[in-house]
Coordinates of all heavy atoms in Angstrom, one line a residue:
Chain A
P13 N 85.3 140.8 77.3 CA 84.7 139.8 78.2 C 83.2 139.6 77.8 O 82.6 140.5 77.3 CB 84.8 140.5 79.6 CG 85.2 141.9 79.3 CD 85.8 142.0 78.0
C37 N 86.8 148.6 83.9 CA 87.8 147.8 84.7 C 87.8 146.4 84.2 O 88.8 145.7 84.1 CB 87.6 148.0 86.2 SG 88.8 147.1 87.1
L38 N 86.6 145.9 84.0 CA 86.5 144.4 83.6 C 87.2 144.1 82.3 O 87.5 143.0 82.0 CB 85.0 144.0 83.5 CG 84.2 144.1 84.7 CD1 82.8 143.5 84.5 CD2 84.8 143.5 86.0
Q39 N 87.4 145.2 81.4 CA 88.1 144.9 80.2 C 89.6 144.8 80.3 O 90.3 144.3 79.4 CB 87.9 146.2 79.2 CG 86.5 146.8 79.2 CD 85.6 146.2 78.2 OE1 86.1 145.6 77.2 NE2 84.3 146.3 78.4
R40 N 90.1 145.2 81.5 CA 91.5 145.1 81.7 C 91.9 143.8 82.4 O 91.2 143.3 83.3 CB 92.0 146.2 82.6 CG 91.8 147.6 82.1 CD 92.8 148.6 82.6 NE 92.8 148.6 84.1 CZ 92.0 149.4 84.9 NH1 91.2 150.2 84.3 NH2 92.1 149.3 86.2
P41 N 93.0 143.1 81.8 CA 93.3 141.8 82.5 C 93.8 142.0 83.9 O 94.2 143.1 84.3 CB 94.5 141.3 81.6 CG 94.9 142.5 80.8 CD 93.8 143.5 80.7
L42 N 93.6 140.9 84.7 CA 93.9 141.0 86.1 C 95.4 140.9 86.3 O 96.1 140.1 85.7 CB 93.2 139.8 86.7 CG 93.2 139.7 88.3 CD1 92.4 140.9 88.8 CD2 92.6 138.4 88.7
R43 N 95.8 141.7 87.3 CA 97.3 141.6 87.7 C 97.5 140.3 88.4 O 96.7 140.0 89.3 CB 97.6 142.8 88.6 CG 97.6 144.1 87.9 CD 98.1 145.2 88.9 NE 97.2 145.5 89.9 CZ 97.4 146.3 90.9 NH1 98.6 146.8 91.1 NH2 96.5 146.6 91.8
K44 N 98.5 139.6 88.1 CA 98.7 138.3 88.8 C 99.4 138.5 90.1 O 100.2 139.5 90.3 CB 99.6 137.4 87.9 CG 98.8 136.7 86.8 CD 99.6 135.5 86.3 CE 98.7 134.8 85.3 NZ 98.6 133.3 85.6
C45 N 99.3 137.6 91.0 CA 99.9 137.8 92.4 C 100.4 136.4 92.9 O 100.0 135.4 92.4 CB 98.9 138.3 93.4 SG 98.0 139.7 92.9
V96 N 100.6 130.8 93.5 CA 99.9 131.8 92.7 C 98.5 131.9 93.2 O 97.7 130.9 93.2 CB 99.9 131.4 91.2 CG1 99.3 132.5 90.4 CG2 101.4 131.1 90.8
Q97 N 98.2 133.1 93.7 CA 96.8 133.3 94.3 C 96.4 134.8 94.1 O 97.3 135.7 94.3 CB 96.9 133.0 95.8 CG 95.6 133.2 96.5 CD 95.7 132.7 98.0 OE1 96.8 132.2 98.4 NE2 94.7 132.9 98.7
S98 N 95.2 135.0 93.7 CA 94.9 136.4 93.4 C 94.7 137.2 94.7 O 94.5 136.6 95.8 CB 93.6 136.5 92.5 OG 92.6 135.7 93.0
A99 N 94.9 138.5 94.6 CA 95.0 139.4 95.7 C 93.9 139.3 96.7 O 94.1 139.0 97.9 CB 95.2 140.8 95.3
M100 N 92.7 139.5 96.3 CA 91.6 139.6 97.3 C 91.3 138.2 97.8 O 90.7 138.1 98.9 CB 90.3 140.1 96.6 CG 90.4 141.6 96.2 SD 90.9 142.6 97.7 CE 92.4 143.4 97.2
S101 N 91.7 137.2 97.1 CA 91.5 135.8 97.6 C 92.3 135.5 98.9 O 92.1 134.6 99.6 CB 91.8 134.8 96.5 OG 92.3 133.6 97.0
P123 N 90.7 124.5 95.2 CA 92.0 123.8 95.2 C 93.0 124.1 96.3 O 94.2 123.8 96.2 CB 92.6 124.2 93.8 CG 92.1 125.6 93.6 CD 90.7 125.6 94.2
S125 N 93.9 127.2 97.9 CA 94.6 128.4 98.1 C 94.5 129.0 99.5 O 95.5 129.3 100.2 CB 94.2 129.5 97.1 OG 94.4 129.1 95.8
K126 N 93.3 129.0 100.0 CA 93.0 129.5 101.3 C 93.4 128.5 102.4 O 93.9 128.9 103.5 CB 91.6 130.0 101.4 CG 91.3 131.1 100.4 CD 89.9 131.6 100.5 CE 89.6 132.5 99.2 NZ 89.4 131.7 98.0
R149 N 88.9 118.4 91.7 CA 89.4 119.6 92.5 C 90.2 119.1 93.8 O 91.1 119.8 94.2 CB 88.3 120.5 92.8 CG 87.8 121.3 91.6 CD 86.7 122.2 91.8 NE 87.0 123.4 92.6 CZ 87.3 124.6 92.1 NH1 87.2 124.8 90.8 NH2 87.6 125.6 92.9
G192 N 80.7 133.8 90.5 CA 82.0 134.3 90.0 C 82.0 135.6 89.3 O 83.0 135.9 88.5
E193 N 81.1 136.5 89.5 CA 81.0 137.8 88.8 C 82.3 138.6 89.1 O 82.6 139.5 88.3 CB 79.8 138.6 89.2 CG 78.5 137.9 88.8 CD 77.3 138.5 89.5 OE1 77.5 139.4 90.5 OE2 76.2 138.2 89.2
G194 N 82.9 138.3 90.2 CA 84.1 139.1 90.5 C 85.4 138.7 89.8 O 86.4 139.3 89.9
T195 N 85.3 137.5 89.1 CA 86.5 137.0 88.5 C 86.5 137.1 86.9 O 87.3 136.5 86.3 CB 86.7 135.5 88.8 OG1 85.6 134.8 88.2 CG2 86.7 135.3 90.3
V196 N 85.7 138.0 86.4 CA 85.6 138.2 85.0 C 87.0 138.6 84.4 O 87.4 138.2 83.3 CB 84.6 139.3 84.6 CG1 84.7 139.7 83.1 CG2 83.2 138.8 84.9
R197 N 87.7 139.4 85.2 CA 89.0 139.8 84.7 C 90.0 138.7 84.5 O 91.0 138.8 83.7 CB 89.6 140.9 85.6 CG 88.8 142.2 85.7 CD 89.4 143.2 86.6 NE 90.6 143.7 86.1 CZ 91.5 144.5 86.8 NH1 91.2 144.8 88.0 NH2 92.6 144.9 86.2
K198 N 89.8 137.7 85.3 CA 90.7 136.5 85.2 C 90.3 135.6 84.1 O 91.1 134.9 83.4 CB 90.7 135.8 86.5 CG 91.7 134.7 86.7 CD 92.1 134.4 88.1 CE 91.1 133.6 88.9 NZ 91.5 133.5 90.3
N199 N 89.0 135.5 83.8 CA 88.5 134.6 82.8 C 87.3 135.3 82.1 O 86.2 135.4 82.7 CB 88.0 133.3 83.5 CG 87.3 132.4 82.5 OD1 87.2 132.7 81.3 ND2 86.9 131.3 83.0
W200 N 87.6 135.8 80.9 CA 86.6 136.6 80.2 C 85.3 135.7 79.8 O 84.3 136.3 79.4 CB 87.2 137.2 78.9 CG 88.0 138.5 79.3 CD1 88.1 138.9 80.6 CD2 88.6 139.4 78.4 NE1 88.9 140.1 80.5 CE2 89.2 140.4 79.2 CE3 88.8 139.5 77.1 CZ2 89.9 141.5 78.7 CZ3 89.5 140.5 76.5 CH2 90.0 141.5 77.4
N201 N 85.5 134.4 79.9 CA 84.3 133.6 79.6 C 83.5 133.2 80.8 O 82.5 132.5 80.8 CB 84.7 132.3 78.9 CG 85.3 132.6 77.5 OD1 84.8 133.4 76.9 ND2 86.3 131.8 77.2
M202 N 83.9 133.8 82.0 CA 83.3 133.4 83.2 C 81.8 133.5 83.2 O 81.2 132.6 83.8 CB 83.9 134.3 84.3 CG 83.5 133.9 85.7 SD 84.2 132.4 86.2 CE 83.0 131.8 87.3
C240 N 83.3 135.2 95.5 CA 84.0 136.1 94.5 C 82.9 136.6 93.6 O 83.1 136.6 92.3 CB 85.1 135.4 93.8 SG 84.7 133.9 93.1
P297 N 86.1 145.3 91.6 CA 87.4 145.2 90.9 C 88.1 146.6 90.7 O 89.3 146.7 90.8 CB 87.0 144.7 89.5 CG 85.7 143.9 89.7 CD 85.0 144.6 90.8
T302 N 91.8 144.9 91.3 CA 92.0 143.5 91.5 C 90.8 142.8 91.0 O 90.1 143.3 90.2 CB 92.1 143.2 93.1 OG1 90.9 143.7 93.7 CG2 93.3 143.9 93.7
E303 N 90.5 141.6 91.6 CA 89.2 140.9 91.3 C 88.2 141.4 92.4 O 88.6 142.0 93.3 CB 89.4 139.4 91.3 CG 89.4 138.7 92.6 CD 90.8 138.8 93.3 OE1 91.5 139.8 93.1 OE2 91.1 137.9 94.1
G304 N 86.9 141.1 92.2 CA 85.9 141.5 93.2 C 85.7 140.4 94.2 O 85.9 139.2 94.0
F305 N 85.3 140.8 95.4 CA 85.1 139.8 96.5 C 84.0 140.3 97.5 O 83.6 141.5 97.5 CB 86.4 139.6 97.3 CG 86.8 138.2 97.3 CD1 87.6 137.7 96.2 CD2 86.5 137.3 98.3 CE1 88.0 136.4 96.2 CE2 86.9 136.0 98.3 CZ 87.7 135.5 97.2
Chain B
D141 N 101.9 127.0 83.3 CA 101.5 128.0 84.3 C 101.2 127.4 85.7 O 101.0 126.2 85.7 CB 100.2 128.7 83.8 CG 99.8 129.9 84.6 OD1 100.8 130.4 85.2 OD2 98.7 130.4 84.5
G143 N 98.8 127.8 87.8 CA 97.4 127.6 88.4 C 97.0 128.8 89.3 O 97.7 129.8 89.3
D144 N 96.0 128.6 90.0 CA 95.5 129.7 90.8 C 96.2 129.8 92.1 O 95.8 129.2 93.1 CB 94.0 129.5 91.0 CG 93.4 130.7 91.8 OD1 93.6 131.9 91.3 OD2 92.7 130.5 92.8

Side-chain angles (χ1 to χ4, degrees):
Chain A
C37 182
L38 299 189
Q39 320 270 338
R40 297 205 308 268
L42 187 65
R43 291 186 286 172
K44 283 200 174 229
C45 307
V96 181
Q97 181 175 357
S98 47
M100 291 305 122
S101 149
S125 293
K126 300 178 191 77
R149 291 179 69 99
E193 295 167 351
T195 63
V196 171
R197 297 180 70 189
K198 189 152 77 184
N199 174 4
W200 280 3
N201 292 325
M202 188 64 211
C240 54
T302 59
E303 80 280 28
F305 239 84
Chain B
D141 192 16
D144 184 53

